Amino acid sequence: MSSLRQNIDRAWAQVQAGWNNLVSKASNALTHFVHKDEEQSAERRDLLRSTPEWGLLAAEVHEDGEQVTVRLEIPGMEADDFDVEVIDRTLIVSGHKHVENSRKEGRYRITECAYGEFERRMPLPAEVDSSKAEASYERGILTLTLPKTEREKVRRIPIANG
């Protein structure tokens, strides 16, 4: 019996460690999706009510001397579904992920995908020139290239021999 208890304790410790790691590494990616019922059929409203109101929008932010590059995982959307803006040193990505329900028969047994309006805010490591920003959306990844402002760019200062 003590062997069973030890196995349960070890398994529980692994679950706790995994959860703590997820929370510490991805807690900023947890994004609230707001369900709006208007303009939906009764069937779509029922499906929306069964979906989670929270989803993970995982990001990578990379900085070099010239620019900041942001990759954000947002599957199941079209490029026109997004709004992107930079305010001060904060990137704001918002949009609406629509329910796609083309099934006529049967019913959903598992609904883990989040739908609705969302907004994800990310602090940027440098001031960027949003007027020169570029964005693309491919295979569920929104990629933003944000050039740094002139005062943020890294410049090497040559040293003259005396």
Side-chain angles (χ1 to χ4, degrees):
M1 191 62 138
S2 71
S3 174
L4 176 63
R5 178 75 177 156
Q6 287 175 345
N7 288 339
I8 291 172
D9 287 345
R10 261 186 261 139
W12 182 246
Q14 287 179 342
V15 168
Q16 285 180 311
W19 178 255
N20 290 337
N21 186 35
L22 178 64
V23 168
S24 71
K25 300 265 185 187
S27 63
N28 290 333
L30 193 59
T31 304
H32 189 230
F33 285 74
V34 178
H35 300 163
K36 303 258 178 166
D37 286 340
E38 63 272 2
E39 300 180 30
Q40 297 282 337
S41 68
E43 183 181 359
R44 286 187 181 211
R45 276 196 304 272
D46 290 344
L47 178 59
L48 252 182
R49 286 187 190 113
S50 69
T51 64
E53 291 184 25
W54 294 88
L56 288 178
L57 300 183
E60 294 177 339
V61 178
H62 179 267
E63 176 188 18
D64 63 26
E66 299 292 316
Q67 65 191 17
V68 175
T69 304
V70 178
R71 295 179 70 247
L72 188 61
E73 293 179 349
I74 311 177
M77 297 182 66
E78 299 293 331
D80 293 342
D81 294 332
F82 299 105
D83 287 313
V84 179
E85 60 186 326
V86 175
I87 298 176
D88 295 324
R89 288 174 90 159
T90 302
L91 173 67
I92 303 167
V93 177
S94 58
H96 190 140
K97 186 174 178 190
H98 301 279
V99 173
E100 297 296 329
N101 183 10
S102 59
R103 305 210 187 273
K104 301 292 184 216
E105 295 181 23
R107 65 181 183 183
Y108 284 91
R109 298 297 185 162
I110 297 174
T111 55
E112 297 175 343
C113 298
Y115 296 99
E117 294 179 8
F118 65 89
E119 180 179 276
R120 173 82 197 271
R121 292 174 175 257
M122 288 175 278
L124 295 171
E127 188 176 310
V128 298
D129 185 349
S130 60
S131 68
K132 296 179 181 173
E134 295 178 2
S136 64
Y137 181 69
E138 186 177 345
R139 297 178 57 201
I141 306 291
L142 177 64
T143 302
L144 303 159
T145 304
L146 308 162
K148 291 183 178 181
T149 60
E150 287 302 315
R151 72 170 172 233
E152 291 278 352
K153 290 183 180 178
V154 175
R155 288 190 180 72
R156 182 169 169 79
I157 302 171
I159 302 172
N161 287 331

